[in-house]
Amino acid sequence: MTALIFFILILASCLSAPLYANWAGVNPFTSTLDATIMLDGKQTAVMEQSTEGLGLGYNPIGPTWQLGNYFLGADNQGRDVMARLLYGGWTSIIIASGATILTLLFATVLGLTAGFFGGVTDMILSRILDILWAFPVYLLAISLSIVMIAHGIDIGPFTIESGSLWLPVFIIGVIYIPYVARPIRGQVLSLRESEFVLAAISLGVPSHRILFRDILPNVTTTLIVFVPLMMALNMLTESALSFLSIGVQPPDASWGTIIQDGQGLLYSRPWVALAPGIAIVITVLALNVLGDGLRDALDPRSKVKLGRG
Amino acid sequence: MFLAIIQRLWQMLFVMFGISVLVFLIFFATPGADPASRIAGRGASAEILEAVRKSFGLDQPIYVQYFTMMKKIFITGDLTSFVNRGWKVVPAVLDTIPVTISLVMGAAILWVVFSMIIGTVAAATKDSWLDRSLMILGLIGISMPVFWLGEVMNLVTQSRFHDTWMFSWVPPLGYKNFTDGPKAWFLTLVIPWFTLAILYIGLYGRVLRANLIEAMQEDFVRTARAKGLSETRILLRHALRTSLISFVTLFGLDFGALVGGSALLTEVVFNLHGIGKLTYDALLNLDLPIIMTTVIFASFFVVMANALVDVLYIVLDPRVRKA
Amino acid sequence: MLEVRDLRVSFSSEQGLMRAIDGVSFTVGEGEILGLVGESGSGKTVSLLAVMGLINDPNAVIEGSIKFKGRELVGMPNAEMRKLRGREIAMIFQDPMTALTPVYTIGWQIAEQILQHQNISKSAARQKAIDLLAEVNIPNPADAIDRYPHQLSGGMRQRAVIAMALSCNPSLLVADEPTTALDVTVQAQILDLVRKLQRNHKSAVVFITHDMGVIAEIADRVMVMYGGRIVERGLRNELFLNPKHPYTKALLDSIPPLEGEKPKRLRAISGSPPSLLNRPTGCCFGPRCVFRFDACSAQPELGKLEHSAACFLEGAR
């Protein structure tokens, strides 16, 4: 319960990102190398001339710990890290949720078809899932990303521009399909053999009716338990892909891209990388706790076991 | 038994073939993804594109390209880089394997030992404050992005506390060959080992605890109690031994996945030139043959690890064994 | 040898205090077979688990006294209890399919118990395990010893469990419905086996079952439990020929007679067993009893006689 409240708080603060940026008077998506702020009554440059070595380059300002005033300091383009953190959080959550919906949708369709119709359909679908399953997730994600990040995808009426946020949603959504589809298929298989379904079949109830009235409601519990766990997993995957610069593309920000921005500043301005990481840990932790709670409440025999990532 | 193994091998080959086709299709046949324009760079003229296609054999039918590629990877081993022409890809990939294995092996030992201790202690002290705090720590471990944890580790051991007695022993980032000195090899890998292991310690600790608690409810545990065995012996010899079956399955899959590239993030953060780092570098300059080769090698490793797990499973669980 | 006096076991649950055993007293003499009958939930298993010290639910409260060879078992530290368990008191469980650890051979599991209690070498323990398997009529014991539980049939597994229970020559053997999960033909073999072994090892046996037929075949003395109390006890023949408690009588009426005219319909006991959460005041069989009268709102006590029933009508009929 606490976890849910926590997650909603995080969600709300990320939603308020534009408000924060407006209030602080910063634009988190353009570089502002010559901005100045008032600090302790003094006009201070956000990007200070470097004093080390030849004096070339700039040092972004560190955390001021004053809300609305470069609270967490600036990144190497003079952008307010706090504002970017809030915007980035929204992006991360959107991608995680979008990918979750996509995964669950496809996995349910695949799992239901394979499990319910069996036979050749099941064999073909299961083999495809086997192949996807054997593929290391990050490598699959990387392969898909590199191909798509530059050109977008274009399959029939379905087009995603390169650089669009929907691209990581699509990629992350696809790679985790077997993780959900396999357990769903297993569950459908056992439901199909259960007495109430056999009874319905012998009574001549049409199969689509059995599928939607008898089997789907039973699978739904499993799906609900999967939601927070998949969200958590997707969140981590998104940040990893963005960290490898094949996830969210600039100028958009996500927690993963901010960590990457902070990598170069790690030893001088560690907060740029620390803050989004802490944000990820807290959010994912809240989701995992939520998932555990949901599982205990809805699925006491723990059919859902998710862990590989 | 023999038949089952043959069947398993056949299945393994099928999955390997499927993966190679899938990888090939992703890189060379995705709509809108023209490898020639990758090589030639953005805004290259039509003539240059045509020349590039001819030179790299990209003008041939797709299945011919697939077979040429596979032949070059597996039979002749003379696939060369697109970016750095003449640089042979297969030996480059083979060179990285010891690095990745060193990293993953060490981490695996850590996570098996620690998660077994944590899982068993937590299960033995079920619902106590110790159990609760161990489980919360485990959950935090699961919730941390590994690359970020690596950066924090670097921040602490390379910069902020590097000059204190605690971390002054930490060498600069990078990999040292085992043959050049086991001590240097060991020291460079300690921090990466822990970084990589933390996620799995949390994960396995939690899974093992749940399995143990489930096993302690079984009838055979009651029999063991009726035999007059001590609680410790029951927990370790009966419950833990039975729970190990699923533990080993999980371990095999994760170990395979890590050697097969999931350690990529750790390798990048700690600048270890393993198979993942090679992939990452190729990623930055879009060197398709390298990426293809690493991905194929990596997934084959995963498939083989899975097959190995099945064999191990037969050894561990007498119920699967056929008399 | 075993003397149980006024044993009470209760579990605190969210719905309130659950009295599983409500004042049970009985004795088991050397080498006798005591049959304990009752339907599910009557407390027959729980009372013997209490004797074994195997109730490890943190919410359980055990009161009363259990004396085994003069030693008090209630409140005995677990470490000391462990030395008795398996050596002096052994137990056979209901379901042989799940009672053995699946990943070890049966020989290993028998030897484990022997080595726990006796200071002998591993090879001696193994030899002893083979002898035990032969004694329980498992064919090819030297070969069967290296079998895993799943490789044996249910009857064979139960024999292995019995061999294990007898491995340290216990003076008391508790058999908790050892035949319920087995086929009828196998049941008879196991019963014969238990009787034979009881004679050879001179162990006392407490045989728990819900099957009057099994009791008739094996027990010297019988105790009938209902709702966590003993409602009747007596020598087998007396109890079967002359049941004193309406519940015992009803139980016997629910078995088809072997001789004479068969009734058109077997009589079932109407109603259902009392809830352990709020048991009726007075005689707990009262609500289902056809002979119920005013006095039954008080608790009837078991008499002191060898054969007696906890019923106010005992002397009257």
Side-chain angles (χ1 to χ4, degrees):
Chain A
M1 204 55 228
T2 330
L4 185 66
I5 295 169
F6 228 92
F7 183 67
I8 291 172
L9 271 178
I10 296 168
L11 207 65
S13 38
C14 291
L15 261 177
S16 65
L19 290 176
Y20 180 86
N22 217 343
W23 172 60
V26 290
N27 184 338
F29 297 110
T30 52
S31 54
T32 46
L33 296 174
D34 48 5
T36 55
I37 52 166
M38 290 297 286
L39 199 59
D40 302 329
K42 268 189 292 184
Q43 200 77 354
T44 317
V46 168
M47 303 298 280
E48 295 159 348
Q49 191 78 34
S50 173
T51 48
E52 283 169 42
L54 299 172
L56 295 173
Y58 293 93
N59 250 345
I61 194 168
T64 62
W65 307 119
Q66 295 173 6
L67 268 183
N69 204 2
Y70 285 79
F71 183 70
L72 291 170
D75 65 10
N76 53 6
Q77 294 187 43
R79 300 175 294 197
D80 183 352
V81 174
M82 185 65 194
R84 279 178 72 76
L85 188 69
L86 295 177
Y87 271 106
W90 183 237
T91 315
S92 293
I93 292 171
I94 284 281
I95 292 178
S97 337
T100 305
I101 295 170
L102 195 74
T103 307
L104 293 186
L105 207 67
F106 274 94
T108 312
V109 172
L110 284 176
L112 281 181
T113 344
F116 190 73
F117 294 107
V120 184
T121 326
D122 182 32
M123 209 193 78
I124 294 172
L125 288 178
S126 297
R127 285 284 161 271
I128 293 176
L129 288 179
D130 277 352
I131 293 173
L132 277 175
W133 172 267
F135 221 128
V137 263
Y138 280 113
L139 290 188
L140 182 59
I142 287 168
S143 313
L144 288 171
S145 307
I146 341 196
V147 170
M148 294 174 182
I149 228 76
H151 297 271
I153 45 174
D154 186 12
I155 310 168
F158 180 67
T159 318
I160 299 179
E161 302 260 316
S162 71
S164 156
L165 281 185
W166 295 110
L167 212 53
V169 170
F170 175 78
I171 291 165
I172 299 171
V174 165
I175 57 173
Y176 286 122
I177 289 176
Y179 280 63
V180 184
R182 283 180 143 214
I184 299 255
R185 171 181 169 269
Q187 207 189 342
V188 173
L189 270 181
S190 65
L191 278 173
R192 221 190 105 80
E193 297 302 315
S194 66
E195 285 175 11
F196 70 96
V197 171
L198 289 179
I201 294 173
S202 63
L203 283 173
V205 179
S207 56
H208 64 90
R209 206 180 148 81
I210 297 175
L211 198 58
F212 289 108
R213 297 292 291 270
D214 295 329
I215 291 183
L216 198 59
N218 279 292
V219 173
T220 314
T221 321
T222 315
L223 288 175
I224 292 173
V225 176
F226 262 121
V227 169
L229 298 174
M230 284 310 296
M231 287 270 289
L233 197 57
N234 288 343
M235 201 108 192
L236 291 175
T237 313
E238 180 276 323
S239 70
L241 289 182
S242 296
F243 175 74
L244 296 174
S245 66
I246 46 176
V248 173
Q249 296 301 304
D252 279 328
S254 82
W255 285 338
T257 61
I258 303 174
I259 295 179
Q260 200 211 5
D261 294 341
Q263 203 184 8
L265 299 167
L266 187 61
Y267 297 155
S268 55
R269 293 285 176 251
W271 276 103
V272 182
L274 283 182
I278 294 171
I280 294 175
V281 176
I282 293 175
T283 316
V284 174
L285 191 64
L287 286 168
N288 277 331
V289 172
L290 198 63
D292 270 10
L294 263 183
R295 174 163 50 193
D296 291 346
L298 295 177
D299 181 35
R301 277 162 297 149
S302 1
K303 283 185 293 275
V304 179
K305 272 185 185 142
L306 194 73
R308 297 224 288 130
Chain B
M1 175 107 178
F2 188 66
L3 203 76
I5 289 178
I6 294 285
Q7 205 183 352
R8 190 69 192 76
L9 279 178
W10 170 240
Q11 199 190 338
M12 186 175 108
L13 283 178
F14 172 80
V15 173
M16 283 180 167
F17 171 74
I19 285 177
S20 68
V21 171
L22 185 66
V23 178
F24 187 80
L25 287 180
I26 288 175
F27 285 116
F28 290 91
T30 309
D34 181 6
S37 64
R38 285 293 165 71
I39 301 164
R42 267 171 217 217
S45 68
E47 293 88 61
I48 294 177
L49 277 181
E50 202 49 47
V52 166
R53 276 206 188 96
K54 256 203 140 53
S55 151
F56 286 90
L58 296 169
D59 51 347
Q60 282 168 330
I62 197 90
Y63 65 91
V64 177
Q65 289 186 41
Y66 172 78
F67 283 115
T68 322
M69 191 79 153
M70 289 305 124
K71 198 182 88 194
K72 282 181 172 174
I73 292 178
F74 290 109
I75 299 165
T76 51
D78 59 354
L79 185 70
T80 54
S81 157
F82 277 2
V83 174
N84 208 341
R85 295 201 81 174
W87 188 40
K88 289 206 174 147
V89 172
V90 177
V93 172
L94 292 179
D95 277 351
T96 61
I97 289 178
V99 186
T100 303
I101 299 256
S102 302
L103 173 66
V104 179
M105 279 284 245
I109 293 170
L110 281 180
W111 97 58
V112 167
V113 170
F114 279 96
S115 65
M116 283 241 221
I117 296 172
I118 286 177
T120 316
V121 167
T125 61
K126 190 183 155 216
D127 292 333
S128 69
W129 61 268
L130 182 64
D131 171 35
R132 290 217 181 91
S133 28
L134 282 175
M135 286 306 105
I136 289 171
L137 280 179
L139 204 56
I140 292 176
I142 296 172
S143 305
M144 278 194 287
V146 63
F147 59 93
W148 177 77
L149 180 65
E151 295 212 328
V152 174
M153 289 281 205
N154 278 342
L155 179 66
V156 171
T157 62
Q158 297 283 347
S159 164
R160 289 300 184 270
F161 294 95
H162 187 63
D163 299 329
T164 66
W165 55 270
M166 260 194 299
F167 295 115
S168 53
W169 54 269
V170 180
L173 298 182
Y175 177 74
K176 300 270 194 322
N177 278 325
F178 184 76
T179 43
D180 299 344
K183 193 179 174 223
W185 172 85
F186 185 81
L187 289 182
T188 48
L189 284 170
V190 171
I191 299 291
W193 280 339
F194 272 99
T195 307
L196 186 56
I198 278 181
L199 161 71
Y200 295 96
I201 292 175
L203 193 63
Y204 282 52
R206 289 174 66 86
V207 169
L208 187 64
R209 172 187 177 271
N211 285 348
L212 277 176
I213 288 175
E214 213 181 302
M216 288 302 274
Q217 310 293 326
E218 299 276 354
D219 280 359
F220 62 77
V221 166
R222 197 169 62 164
T223 310
R225 287 209 177 100
K227 283 160 81 173
L229 307 179
S230 71
E231 280 299 303
T232 321
R233 188 178 168 92
I234 294 171
L235 187 70
L236 297 181
R237 295 305 292 267
H238 289 264
L240 183 63
R241 174 64 179 73
T242 324
S243 306
L244 273 188
I245 296 163
S246 57
F247 190 88
V248 166
T249 316
L250 204 61
F251 176 80
L253 296 174
D254 281 328
F255 187 83
L258 278 176
V259 176
S262 292
L264 180 139
L265 291 159
T266 317
E267 289 175 5
V268 169
V269 172
F270 291 106
N271 197 28
L272 303 167
H273 287 273
I275 196 165
K277 181 76 163 62
L278 184 71
T279 316
Y280 176 71
D281 292 340
L283 202 80
L284 295 180
N285 51 28
L286 292 171
D287 199 343
L288 291 186
I290 292 198
I291 301 173
M292 265 219 60
T293 317
T294 54
V295 170
I296 287 181
F297 265 82
S299 24
F300 282 11
F301 205 93
V302 175
V303 175
M304 284 192 281
N306 288 3
L308 205 70
V309 164
D310 288 352
V311 174
L312 253 178
Y313 204 86
I314 295 174
V315 175
L316 268 178
D317 189 348
R319 280 167 295 186
V320 185
R321 241 179 272 161
K322 295 229 170 74
Chain C
M1 178 180 59
L2 179 74
E3 205 179 330
V4 176
R5 201 171 289 275
D6 201 23
L7 179 68
R8 285 163 204 276
V9 180
S10 43
F11 300 90
S12 53
S13 69
E14 279 169 27
Q15 289 94 37
L17 201 66
M18 212 177 76
R19 288 235 131 154
I21 308 288
D22 190 24
V24 162
S25 306
F26 62 92
T27 56
V28 182
E30 303 264 348
E32 76 163 333
I33 301 187
L34 174 68
L36 190 50
V37 219
E39 52 202 293
S40 336
S42 60
K44 49 194 195 312
T45 302
V46 176
S47 52
L48 268 305
L49 283 178
V51 170
M52 295 283 293
L54 282 180
I55 298 178
N56 53 357
D57 186 323
N59 298 318
V61 184
I62 303 172
E63 295 158 307
S65 149
I66 303 170
K67 280 217 167 102
F68 178 75
K69 292 188 171 170
R71 297 173 71 188
E72 179 59 58
L73 300 189
V74 174
M76 182 184 261
N78 199 24
E80 236 169 287
M81 193 70 217
R82 268 207 331 262
K83 289 182 196 150
L84 287 180
R85 235 186 270 148
R87 180 160 68 183
E88 294 279 359
I89 314 175
M91 191 158 184
I92 308 170
F93 294 98
Q94 182 173 356
D95 189 355
M97 295 312 194
T98 55
L100 291 164
T101 308
V103 292
Y104 295 118
T105 61
I106 54 170
W108 189 95
Q109 298 189 49
I110 296 174
E112 184 188 31
Q113 179 165 358
I114 299 172
L115 291 170
Q116 177 77 30
H117 297 293
Q118 293 173 10
N119 200 7
I120 58 175
S121 72
K122 276 191 178 174
S123 54
R126 187 181 155 88
Q127 188 51 50
K128 195 160 178 208
I130 296 177
D131 296 344
L132 282 161
L133 289 181
E135 202 185 340
V136 296
N137 299 339
I138 288 185
N140 270 331
D143 173 55
I145 193 167
D146 292 320
R147 294 294 181 102
Y148 289 92
H150 72 279
Q151 295 169 319
L152 302 173
S153 69
M156 287 300 144
R157 275 192 230 188
Q158 195 61 294
R159 284 165 201 265
V161 172
I162 292 172
M164 191 158 82
L166 291 173
S167 59
C168 298
N169 267 318
S171 32
L172 177 65
L173 178 67
V174 178
D176 184 5
E177 308 213 20
T179 55
T180 309
L182 303 172
D183 292 342
V184 183
T185 45
V186 183
Q187 272 189 21
Q189 293 168 8
I190 296 285
L191 285 181
D192 287 345
L193 181 67
V194 169
R195 229 197 330 243
K196 184 192 105 188
L197 294 171
Q198 184 264 339
R199 250 179 269 128
N200 294 351
H201 289 252
K202 303 195 170 48
S203 308
V205 177
V206 176
F207 201 101
I208 305 174
T209 181
H210 59 251
D211 188 340
M212 278 308 229
V214 170
I215 287 290
E217 220 169 296
I218 198 162
D220 301 329
R221 273 196 315 131
V222 184
M223 253 170 26
V224 183
M225 279 191 84
Y226 184 83
R229 300 178 66 93
I230 296 170
V231 291
E232 181 164 0
R233 66 147 190 264
L235 290 173
R236 173 186 56 177
N237 289 352
E238 284 180 36
L239 188 126
F240 271 78
L241 293 173
N242 183 20
K244 290 185 173 174
H245 197 278
Y247 177 63
T248 319
K249 206 169 152 36
L251 271 184
L252 290 171
D253 280 345
S254 63
I255 314 172
L258 284 175
E259 292 154 22
E261 198 187 334
K262 297 213 162 50
K264 286 226 169 65
R265 243 184 104 92
L266 287 174
R267 251 180 294 157
I269 307 175
S270 61
S272 54
S275 149
L276 296 176
L277 282 168
N278 40 41
R279 47 174 69 246
T281 51
C283 175
C284 52
F285 189 61
R288 298 169 82 182
C289 184
V290 283
F291 302 110
R292 189 191 159 89
F293 68 116
D294 291 347
C296 297
S297 52
Q299 180 83 261
E301 294 298 330
L302 203 60
K304 296 257 184 285
L305 291 168
E306 169 86 72
H307 180 195
S308 64
C311 181
F312 294 113
L313 290 172
E314 187 184 351
R317 291 190 311 117

